Amino acid sequence: QAQLVQSGAEVKKPGASVRLSCKTSGYNFADFYIHWLRQAPGHRLQWMGWINPNSGATNYEQRFQGRVTMTGDTSSNTAYMELRRLRSDDTAVYFCARDRVPHYDVLTGPPDYWGQGTLVTVSS
Amino acid sequence: EIVLTQSPATLSSSPGEGVTLSCRTSHVVSSLYLAWYQQKPGQAPRLLIYGASNRASGVPDRFSGSGSGTDFTLTISRLEPEDFAVYYCHQYSGYTFGQGTKVETK
């Protein structure tokens, strides 16, 4: 059974950066994309991008291009997401989630196993 | 961007009753790339349905999905107390979500 455990809550000032971690277990980390998503109060879930831990390839949602970096460490089976130049509207719960199918499969997704979420609060 | 619109926003029902949730997409979405999630307060979403009609592992058969093109449906045949939650549709060719339908106790 796959498990994803995320790092703890963060409080940041506008303009700062935040780096979140997502430690995985119970499956071969290199075989499945890791997605990052967020959920702001009163807003629908928003997909931020994915990383292929095997190759390091990434695919970012256009609105986050230039502000986000997703990485993966296969030695510790951990994914990371850094978001820079934080604004108050980045306040949200951030989730990592594993894709349902291996990256070498013909089909893709959706995310099936999710982390518990990390609350990021951006406030001056 | 493909916009997903769910209806109703809130659905009031009782245990034992059946309910139907709707998800309409702004452009045609392949059935291969339509999913449904359940979310309870303070929890991460739980995958229920993928490929429009395939139940995820461990999901009870009272949950079923259907639809094609721009109209998709999640049906819960007989509500159990643990089914009262928010449900989201999701298209994963472009990764957008609906705004959710809250199923609450009447």
Side-chain angles (χ1 to χ4, degrees), chain B residues 4-89:
Chain B
L4 279 61
T5 302
Q6 294 185 239
S7 61
T10 304
L11 198 160
S12 298
S13 190
S14 301
E17 293 184 343
V19 295
T20 298
L21 286 62
S22 172
C23 176
R24 181 160 290 177
T25 62
S26 61
H27 299 78
V28 170
V29 171
S30 167
S31 298
L32 291 172
Y33 298 109
L34 196 289
W36 290 90
Y37 289 90
Q38 175 194 69
Q39 188 177 32
K40 297 179 180 178
Q43 296 185 15
R46 173 196 179 195
L47 178 65
L48 297 176
I49 300 288
Y50 65 93
S53 60
N54 300 288
R55 275 187 298 276
S57 176
V59 175
D61 60 8
R62 63 180 181 273
F63 291 93
S64 62
S66 63
S68 63
T70 60
D71 287 290
F72 298 88
T73 297
L74 174 71
T75 300
I76 310 173
S77 59
R78 296 171 310 281
L79 281 167
E80 296 288 339
E82 61 268 27
D83 299 338
F84 292 93
V86 179
Y87 293 84
Y88 295 96
C89 58

Side-chain angles (χ1 to χ4, degrees), chain A residues 2 6-7 10 19 27 34-35 38 60 82 87 90-91 99 103 115:
Chain A
Q6 297 185 232
S7 49
E10 302 266 8
R19 187 179 189 232
Y27 74 98
I34 292 287
H35 299 264
R38 72 181 188 180
Y60 302 143
E82 180 183 45
R87 308 185 293 252
D90 290 318
T91 295
D99 203 82
H103 63 81

Side-chain angles (χ1 to χ4, degrees), chain A residues 61-77:
Chain A
E61 161 63 45
Q62 190 169 6
R63 74 192 73 190
F64 296 106
Q65 289 273 4
R67 276 211 306 146
V68 71
T69 302
M70 297 177 188
T71 56
D73 180 353
T74 53
S75 67
S76 63
N77 298 328

Side-chain angles (χ1 to χ4, degrees), chain A residues 33 35 37 39 43-47 50 59 61 63 95 99-100 106-117, chain B residues 1 3-5 32-33 35 37 39 42-47 49-51 57 88 90 92 94-99:
Chain A
Y33 288 3
H35 299 264
L37 310 96
Q39 190 170 34
H43 288 75
R44 64 185 70 192
L45 283 155
Q46 187 174 42
W47 177 78
W50 56 248
N59 178 23
E61 161 63 45
R63 74 192 73 190
F95 294 99
D99 203 82
R100 193 185 68 83
V106 174
L107 296 178
T108 185
D112 57 358
Y113 290 96
W114 293 59
Q116 82 277 17
Chain B
E1 176 178 293
V3 178
L4 279 61
T5 302
L32 291 172
Y33 298 109
Y37 289 90
Q39 188 177 32
Q43 296 185 15
R46 173 196 179 195
L47 178 65
I49 300 288
Y50 65 93
S57 176
Y88 295 96
H90 168 52
Y92 47 101
Y95 297 107
T96 56
F97 288 82
Q99 83 280 19

